[in-house]
Amino acid sequence: MMRNVHLVPEDEDDIYTGYNDYNPQFDEDIDNDEGFQQAVKTSHGRRPPPTASVKPVLGAGPRPLGTAAQRMKTGMVSSMGRPTTGAQEGVARPMTAVRAAGYSSAPRGMQFDPLNQAKGPAPPLEAKAEDSPEEKVKQLEKKVMELVEESCMANSRAEFSLALEKAKEAGRQERQLVRQREQLASGEQINLDLTYSVLFNLANQYAANEMFNEALNTYTVIVKNKMFSNAGRLRVNMGNIYFKQRNYAKSIKFYRMALDQVPTAHKEMRARIMQNIALVFIRMGQYSDAVTTLEHVMNEKPDFKSGFNLILCYFALGDREKMKKTFQRLLNCALNIDDEDKYLPHPDDKHYNMILEVIRNDTLRQMEREKKTYAEKCIMAAAKVIAPAIEGSFAAGYDWCVDHVKHSMVCELAQELEMYKAMCFLRKKNVEEAVETLKSFEKKDSKVASTAATNLSFLYFLENEVGQADKYAEVAMTADRYNPSALVNKGNCVFMQGEYERAREFYQEALRNDSTCTEALYNLGLTYKKVQRLEDSLDCFLKLHAILRNSAQVIYQIADLYDQLEDTAQATEWFMQLIGVVPTDAFVLARLGEIYDNEGDKTQAFQYHYESFRYFPSNIEIIEWLGAYYIDSKFCEKAIHYFERAAVIQPSQVKWQLMVASCHRRSGNYQQALETYKDIHSKFPENPECLRFLVRICNDLGLKEAQDYATKLKKAEKARELREQRASSGSRRGSGRGIREHSAGSDSGRGGSGGSRGGSARAGSASRGGSARSGSGRMRLPDSNEPYEATKKEVDASYVDPLGAAAERPKTAARQRGQQPEDEFGDEELGDDLLPD
């Protein structure tokens, strides 16, 4: 039997080899052994009753088949016909393995599958019955929590209506959950936390939707329920709602009730509630009560917000000393943030630098920055408030604040305060003091010096001192070459000097240093426009429009450039956008009306000119256009209103009054026209146009005053002719004929005074040109003893209406039929009164 035992040699590495070596006698008739096959097929080694006299025993689990050895001789076979292995008298041991690990009862030819994976996945777990009341309660509770979470998320997205709907649905589901629990008689299992969450969220959503009464009712339900622990703190929220409703008395009442329920150990919460109480006192104007509350807060837990509000209260009470002391306490408030040095890189510690890259801009770092920024904002605002009040002058007050800030933990704010002091001097129109303050920064560090020099350059540029502005722009650029404001100031200086190419280079350099510098981009567009590079200028302003969407200056430049490029459609569109931004700009409205006028659209042109007149009724050009429009439209009565306004604006211009009189005549109101001409004559007695109109209208009306006006007309034209002769001759002695011809030529070249924009005045002046004809009488020049021939002068009383030909009026009976009109000037002799002295 020992020959069938495999011994492992000493030089063999694998100690598990040889286990598959077995005696072929073991395979003897195993397939036909019914008992063995039945035992293999049964589970956990159970087999049917034995068929042999010797009862075999099968091992449980994966153990190999064993034999129930009796006191037999060595070499006795088992009940299955196989010899026992190593059986000794009175000792039974298991059989050795006939197969390797992974033995199974499957037939031969099956693959190796010790984990039984070939049979597929395990069957699913048996699902619990959903019909059970406990399971329904759990599912409903889960649904309520989901609705509460959805409501909170909607509130964070500012979708307040949706948040309220979700909160109401959660409340309905929670009440249904309570009823189901009551039906199960499991009152001890009621989830109070869930009920509290649902009610609290519902009250918050009511408050967010400004449904304050519903919110107060919901908070009252929570507060009065003794089963909710610490619910009394919600009275703070109720106080906030009363504060929003301006019910300050109840607001203070609820804040104090909430304060009484907060333990003294919770100092921060108590300080916040007392801050709210102080704010209510400030709103009520009870500054003394607010001071008492804020002093307590500053003693218990000082912070920047309480300190700033306390300074405001002392400012309202006018207490200078308390303002100073509180400002010093404000400077001593702790920021409670880590030192900035921990964010500095370590050249030798790579691991720390890797950590630094992560924490350099994380959420905690951002919170620290916000906290520091808020503290600096409070200190700067407090200094700006108290500086004009704590000393005799605001300059002394700023000096006091600067001295104390320099010795605090925010010493970097001192220079900013000094800069603001210079700005205050500018607001008070004290440019000299502002300049002196800014000059004091020249010896400071480069960044501050560059800022001060930039402001100085800007001040000098506004005062039109381009040389000084250029000087300080150079100083600013020397201190900080990458300062875009300094480069813009330098570009402005060379622009004023006419060096447009250099200005363009400075503007472009400023844009390279800071692509968001809108001043540089705007000025670059103006430079291109100045050198007639309209396309490049348009590109600059379109880029700027993408940054400043509602800038009226940018939109106007774009519209003006399109107008210069003769793209009327685009120009009209951009001017319409500009009117949407500045609807009351009279110049823009007039410009758009001018575009429509050039296009021939008189209706739209009139609309925009009229809107321009409404916002700026003193624009002479718009008044003249509207008057000419009504005259062209045959509504002379409406044109009178505009010409009268023009006469008020320019009372020394006779043409507006002549236009008023002409409108009266055109509308058939001859009597009013005559009165208007007389009034004009009284103001301008030497105006030949008015006299000529008076002669004609008096003749038409058959008045005897026509002869008087004709005489005055002769005198006026003669006086004008002599004035022109003196002006043209000077020291030169010329012939009388040459002088008279020159005078006539001068008169013919003079423009009409009563014309409109339509060109009728030019026609009138052309008809009047050369109306002073030479006479035949003998006269002496004032500066000469030599006589000269002067022919008799006939006065030309004819005229052409500057408003155009008038409609024919009905015939009157002032003259009999067939009677020839008298020539008033035919036999007129020039008297001695017309001769010069």
Side-chain angles (χ1 to χ4, degrees):
M1 181 179 294
M2 294 300 295
R3 68 177 179 269
N4 295 326
V5 180
H6 178 71
L7 299 178
V8 179
E10 295 181 357
D11 56 349
E12 189 170 346
D13 295 333
D14 192 356
I15 62 175
Y16 296 101
T17 57
Y19 279 98
N20 289 332
D21 299 337
Y22 64 95
N23 195 333
Q25 293 180 1
F26 291 148
D27 291 336
E28 179 182 355
D29 209 16
I30 289 178
D31 295 336
N32 297 325
D33 190 344
E34 295 179 2
F36 179 77
Q37 295 295 333
Q38 188 68 22
V40 169
K41 294 179 180 179
T42 57
S43 62
H44 301 290
R46 294 192 299 270
R47 63 181 301 173
T51 56
S53 58
V54 181
K55 181 179 180 180
V57 179
L58 296 177
R63 296 187 337 192
L65 185 64
T67 58
Q70 298 179 354
R71 293 180 181 179
M72 299 180 182
K73 294 182 181 180
T74 304
M76 188 175 181
V77 295
S78 67
S79 61
M80 292 178 290
R82 296 194 301 273
T84 60
T85 59
Q88 299 179 3
E89 186 177 354
V91 180
R93 72 176 183 82
M95 290 179 61
T96 58
V98 297
R99 289 181 183 271
Y103 173 82
S104 67
S105 60
R108 290 187 177 183
M110 295 297 292
Q111 62 181 354
F112 177 73
D113 190 12
L115 300 179
N116 219 4
Q117 296 177 351
K119 294 183 178 180
L125 296 177
E126 204 173 301
K128 294 182 179 180
E130 295 183 359
D131 298 335
S132 63
E134 293 81 2
E135 189 65 26
K136 287 184 178 180
V137 168
K138 289 183 179 180
Q139 293 296 328
L140 190 56
E141 189 176 83
K142 183 179 179 182
K143 184 176 180 181
V144 171
M145 283 305 302
E146 289 177 353
L147 287 171
V148 172
E149 292 175 358
E150 291 175 2
S151 175
C152 295
M153 295 301 296
N155 183 279
S156 66
R157 299 191 300 268
E159 300 175 1
F160 301 122
S161 300
L162 177 61
L164 181 58
E165 291 298 325
K166 295 290 184 180
K168 289 181 178 179
E169 181 64 23
R172 289 190 289 267
Q173 296 292 338
E174 194 273 335
R175 288 191 292 271
Q176 182 180 352
L177 174 63
V178 172
R179 286 193 296 269
Q180 289 190 9
R181 287 187 183 277
E182 290 175 351
Q183 292 175 3
L184 292 175
S186 58
E188 70 279 5
Q189 298 180 359
I190 294 178
N191 192 344
L192 292 177
D193 292 337
L194 181 63
T195 304
Y196 179 86
S197 300
V198 171
L199 292 175
F200 180 59
N201 179 61
L202 180 60
N204 280 336
Q205 303 311 329
Y206 276 134
N209 285 273
E210 297 183 355
M211 302 171 66
F212 297 130
N213 293 330
E214 291 82 354
L216 288 172
N217 294 335
T218 309
Y219 279 127
T220 304
V221 171
I222 301 174
V223 170
K224 290 186 176 180
N225 194 332
K226 302 300 182 183
M227 300 179 66
F228 298 140
S229 60
N230 298 325
R233 299 179 182 179
L234 294 182
R235 287 189 172 89
V236 176
N237 294 8
M238 300 175 72
N240 293 339
I241 292 176
Y242 283 120
F243 182 82
K244 291 180 180 178
Q245 292 179 331
R246 299 181 182 276
N247 192 345
Y248 299 129
K250 281 193 174 182
S251 179
I252 292 178
K253 173 185 175 181
F254 277 89
Y255 285 146
R256 285 176 171 170
M257 291 172 65
L259 185 64
D260 293 339
Q261 295 187 0
V262 177
T264 55
H266 298 169
K267 292 184 178 181
E268 185 172 356
M269 182 175 292
R270 291 179 64 87
R272 289 179 179 273
I273 296 175
M274 294 187 73
Q275 285 177 0
N276 290 358
I277 295 174
L279 289 177
V280 178
F281 280 132
I282 293 174
R283 284 295 183 93
M284 296 172 67
Q286 301 178 11
Y287 300 114
S288 299
D289 296 332
V291 164
T292 304
T293 306
L294 290 172
E295 284 285 1
H296 181 75
V297 174
M298 291 295 290
N299 292 331
E300 293 293 328
K301 191 173 180 58
D303 62 274
F304 291 96
K305 183 177 181 181
S306 300
F308 178 70
N309 290 334
L310 185 58
I311 288 176
L312 292 181
C313 292
Y314 282 130
F315 179 80
L317 295 173
D319 195 335
R320 293 186 177 184
E321 294 301 324
K322 291 293 182 65
M323 279 190 281
K324 290 182 179 181
K325 292 180 180 179
T326 309
F327 185 74
Q328 294 175 4
R329 295 171 65 183
L330 183 67
L331 293 176
N332 294 327
C333 289
L335 283 174
N336 296 325
I337 60 177
D338 293 334
D339 192 5
E340 295 286 338
D341 294 339
K342 81 171 187 177
Y343 295 104
L344 297 177
H346 291 191
D348 300 331
D349 194 345
K350 294 182 179 181
H351 179 69
Y352 183 82
N353 291 336
M354 293 175 63
I355 297 175
L356 185 62
E357 291 296 328
V358 177
I359 68 174
R360 189 186 300 274
N361 198 31
D362 61 350
T363 308
L364 180 60
R365 175 62 170 162
Q366 293 176 4
M367 186 183 69
E368 290 177 350
R369 288 174 179 169
E370 292 175 0
K371 196 172 183 180
K372 185 176 180 181
T373 302
Y374 180 77
E376 293 176 352
K377 181 180 178 182
C378 289
I379 293 173
M380 289 294 297
K384 294 173 184 177
V385 169
I386 69 174
I390 58 177
E391 298 292 345
S393 63
F394 84 95
Y398 270 107
D399 292 339
W400 184 90
C401 292
V402 168
D403 291 339
H404 284 78
V405 170
K406 284 181 179 179
H407 297 89
S408 67
M409 60 181 177
V410 287
C411 56
E412 64 273 7
L413 296 180
Q415 295 178 349
E416 187 174 348
L417 270 177
E418 292 186 27
M419 195 73 67
Y420 188 79
K421 175 184 173 183
M423 298 301 106
C424 290
F425 279 124
L426 286 179
R427 291 191 183 97
K428 293 181 179 294
K429 310 296 184 182
N430 194 344
V431 181
E432 292 78 8
E433 292 291 339
V435 170
E436 291 298 326
T437 305
L438 291 173
K439 285 182 178 180
S440 64
F441 288 95
E442 292 183 5
K443 297 182 180 180
K444 301 293 178 65
D445 56 21
S446 59
K447 184 176 181 180
V448 177
S450 177
T451 304
T454 301
N455 291 337
L456 282 171
S457 175
F458 179 69
L459 285 177
Y460 282 121
F461 186 81
L462 291 180
E463 293 182 348
N464 204 22
E465 297 183 16
V466 181
Q468 289 292 330
D470 193 10
K471 170 188 172 183
Y472 281 101
E474 288 286 352
V475 173
M477 291 169 56
T478 303
D480 184 7
R481 182 68 185 186
Y482 298 99
N483 184 355
S485 299
L487 292 168
V488 169
N489 287 345
K490 179 65 176 179
N492 292 344
C493 293
V494 297
F495 183 93
M496 294 298 294
Q497 295 169 1
E499 302 178 19
Y500 303 120
E501 287 301 321
R502 286 189 62 198
R504 178 181 61 82
E505 294 174 359
F506 283 116
Y507 295 144
Q508 289 178 343
E509 185 177 355
L511 285 173
R512 286 194 296 269
N513 294 339
D514 183 6
S515 59
T516 62
C517 184
T518 55
E519 295 86 355
L521 190 56
Y522 186 89
N523 292 349
L524 181 61
L526 291 180
T527 306
Y528 282 133
K529 186 177 180 181
K530 190 71 175 179
V531 297
Q532 294 301 314
R533 294 173 58 176
L534 301 182
E535 295 291 344
D536 295 334
S537 178
L538 184 60
D539 291 340
C540 292
F541 286 116
L542 288 174
K543 291 178 183 178
L544 191 58
H545 177 66
I547 302 173
L548 307 174
R549 302 296 299 180
N550 295 322
S551 175
Q553 293 87 349
V554 176
I555 298 176
Y556 171 77
Q557 293 294 341
I558 295 174
D560 184 61
L561 285 168
Y562 275 122
D563 191 19
Q564 293 187 31
L565 292 170
E566 298 182 356
D567 192 344
T568 307
Q570 286 290 338
T572 304
E573 180 181 350
W574 282 97
F575 274 121
M576 292 294 292
Q577 292 186 25
L578 182 56
I579 290 175
V581 177
V582 281
T584 60
D585 193 316
F587 176 78
V588 176
L589 291 167
R591 184 71 179 275
L592 190 57
E594 183 181 350
I595 292 176
Y596 280 117
D597 190 16
N598 295 333
E599 291 293 313
D601 191 345
K602 295 293 183 181
T603 304
Q604 289 287 347
F606 169 74
Q607 176 184 351
Y608 287 106
H609 278 96
Y610 182 74
E611 289 294 321
S612 176
F613 173 76
R614 284 181 57 230
Y615 292 115
F616 184 34
S618 300
N619 191 336
I620 291 295
E621 294 181 358
I622 302 301
I623 293 173
E624 185 178 1
W625 191 95
L626 289 172
Y629 172 80
Y630 279 119
I631 291 173
D632 292 341
S633 302
K634 308 302 181 183
F635 292 103
C636 298
E637 299 87 350
K638 294 185 178 181
I640 293 173
H641 167 70
Y642 296 100
F643 292 133
E644 286 179 347
R645 180 175 292 274
V648 172
I649 296 172
Q650 294 182 347
S652 61
Q653 294 289 331
V654 68
K655 70 174 182 177
W656 306 120
Q657 301 180 44
L658 290 174
M659 296 294 287
V660 172
S662 182
C663 289
H664 283 303
R665 187 187 57 78
R666 291 287 300 273
S667 61
N669 192 353
Y670 294 100
Q671 188 62 36
Q672 185 64 37
L674 178 61
E675 295 297 329
T676 305
Y677 282 127
K678 288 181 178 180
D679 183 65
I680 297 172
H681 177 64
S682 64
K683 295 178 181 178
F684 304 93
E686 296 183 359
N687 185 270
E689 300 293 336
C690 178
L691 291 170
R692 189 174 290 110
F693 285 126
L694 281 171
V695 170
R696 177 59 184 271
I697 197 169
C698 288
N699 287 333
D700 291 343
L701 295 177
L703 300 177
K704 297 179 179 179
E705 300 172 355
Q707 184 66 29
D708 297 336
Y709 290 123
T711 304
K712 292 180 180 180
L713 177 61
K714 295 177 183 178
K715 292 181 180 181
E717 290 192 344
K718 190 63 179 178
R720 184 177 66 179
E721 183 177 311
L722 291 175
R723 285 195 300 270
E724 292 175 355
Q725 286 178 356
R726 293 192 185 100
S728 61
S729 62
S731 59
R732 178 177 57 87
R733 297 293 184 267
S735 64
R737 177 181 176 84
I739 295 175
R740 288 192 297 274
E741 289 177 356
H742 178 74
S743 174
S746 300
D747 190 45
S748 64
R750 185 171 302 167
S753 60
S756 66
R757 183 178 293 187
S760 56
R762 290 190 295 272
S765 63
S767 65
R768 291 190 301 273
S771 60
R773 298 192 180 97
S774 58
S776 58
R778 294 184 60 84
M779 302 176 58
R780 282 184 194 276
L781 291 175
D783 299 331
S784 176
N785 294 323
E786 298 178 3
Y788 72 97
E789 290 287 328
T791 60
K792 183 185 291 186
K793 181 176 182 297
E794 291 185 356
V795 177
D796 184 9
S798 63
Y799 72 98
V800 176
D801 195 342
L803 299 181
E808 186 178 358
R809 68 180 182 86
K811 301 296 184 180
T812 61
R815 185 183 296 116
Q816 296 181 358
R817 289 181 181 272
Q819 182 179 357
Q820 296 297 327
E822 298 179 357
D823 188 2
E824 296 88 348
F825 307 103
D827 300 325
E828 187 71 15
E829 294 286 335
L830 292 176
D832 296 336
D833 55 342
L834 295 180
L835 296 176
D837 295 335

